[in-house]
Amino acid sequence: MKSFYKKELKSFFVPVLLTLIALLGFFIVYFKNNPALAINILAEFSEKIQSMSKSGSLNYFMLIMNNVIVGVIAVILGFIPFFYLSFILIITNAFVSGAVLSVFENLIKIILFGILPHGIFELPALALSVSCGLYLCNKITMRLLKKSDERISTSIYKVTSFFVLIILPMFILAGFIEIYLTPYIMKTFLLSWLICTVLGRVKYFQEVIKWK
């Protein structure tokens, strides 16, 4: 798996991940300037979240399945030659995520404490899924154009093995962190930040009063 990534998948993965991050930043800025559109998208996103929830909290199994299905779709799109359709999922994911993140006031803190803990596994897993789709599309295209001697079945085996052994565990780990650890991290660090902010304001006003 390591040699497959280094020799064949890395050339897809790095550009895909960087594009995902760049598009996410672009859409956050875009929706910051178009809040009404962001709210409409957030309303649709909330309905999807409710379908994955149970008693007001996210359902772990449904969350994992949703992420895995997205990853599988990215790979399946790779079976369509010439068009590299898997890349569409990078755009749609960045679009929706950008809309959701744009509504938060303390964006940096939300990213650090609410997104980063599970995002360090989920975003690369998504990028790897898309990379597998692009790799598969490229191999099938090259085979059809008779520019490659590698059997399509060999490429499918490599992608399937990599998805099961690497990408799937990453999605599972990301889901576990998002459901069970992220809420605790958000509560702990954001509460600490709020306390520090309040104490800082109190100290500031004490200094002002003392100066007067």
Side-chain angles (χ1 to χ4, degrees):
M1 291 300 100
K2 188 175 181 180
S3 61
F4 170 64
Y5 169 77
K6 283 189 173 182
K7 294 179 180 179
E8 303 188 73
L9 205 61
K10 187 177 180 179
S11 60
F12 291 97
F13 172 69
V14 174
V16 166
L17 183 60
L18 293 177
T19 302
L20 173 59
I21 294 171
L23 285 175
L24 183 58
F26 169 79
F27 283 121
I28 289 174
V29 173
Y30 174 78
F31 285 115
K32 281 285 186 182
N33 295 316
N34 297 273
L37 180 59
I39 291 173
N40 289 335
I41 295 173
L42 188 59
E44 296 181 12
F45 182 76
S46 297
E47 293 179 4
K48 185 177 180 180
I49 290 295
Q50 289 176 1
S51 68
M52 293 190 295
S53 65
K54 184 178 181 181
S55 302
S57 59
L58 281 175
N59 182 286
Y60 176 67
F61 178 75
M62 291 300 294
L63 178 65
I64 295 298
M65 285 302 300
N66 179 71
N67 290 338
V68 171
I69 288 171
V70 171
V72 170
I73 290 174
V75 174
I76 290 175
L77 288 175
F79 283 91
I80 303 173
F82 302 107
F83 297 105
Y84 297 90
L85 296 177
S86 301
F87 194 77
I88 294 174
L89 291 177
I90 289 294
I91 300 173
T92 55
N93 189 275
F95 182 83
V96 174
S97 299
V100 173
L101 290 173
S102 69
V103 303
F104 291 101
E105 290 290 334
N106 301 309
L107 182 59
I108 300 299
K109 295 178 181 63
I110 292 296
I111 292 176
L112 287 176
F113 304 131
I115 303 299
L116 191 60
H118 66 273
I120 57 175
F121 296 103
E122 186 175 313
L123 292 182
L126 173 62
L128 284 171
S129 299
V130 172
S131 299
C132 285
L134 296 177
Y135 164 82
L136 196 57
C137 178
N138 183 66
K139 287 296 183 180
I140 294 174
T141 300
M142 292 298 102
R143 182 68 175 175
L144 292 176
L145 295 175
K146 298 182 179 180
K147 293 183 178 181
S148 174
D149 296 327
E150 182 172 291
R151 295 168 61 91
I152 294 177
S153 59
T154 302
S155 301
I156 294 174
Y157 173 78
K158 290 179 181 178
V159 167
T160 303
S161 300
F162 189 83
F163 190 93
V164 172
L165 297 176
I166 304 297
I167 298 175
L168 183 58
M170 290 176 70
F171 275 132
I172 292 173
L173 181 57
F176 178 84
I177 294 172
E178 185 173 0
I179 294 294
Y180 297 109
L181 297 182
T182 296
Y184 174 78
I185 294 171
M186 286 276 289
K187 181 180 178 181
T188 302
F189 284 95
L190 289 183
L191 180 60
S192 299
W193 170 79
L194 180 61
I195 292 173
C196 290
T197 301
V198 172
L199 291 177
R201 292 288 179 85
V202 171
K203 185 176 180 180
Y204 168 77
F205 284 116
Q206 287 176 340
E207 291 296 327
V208 171
I209 293 172
K210 187 187 298 182
W211 181 77
K212 287 183 177 182

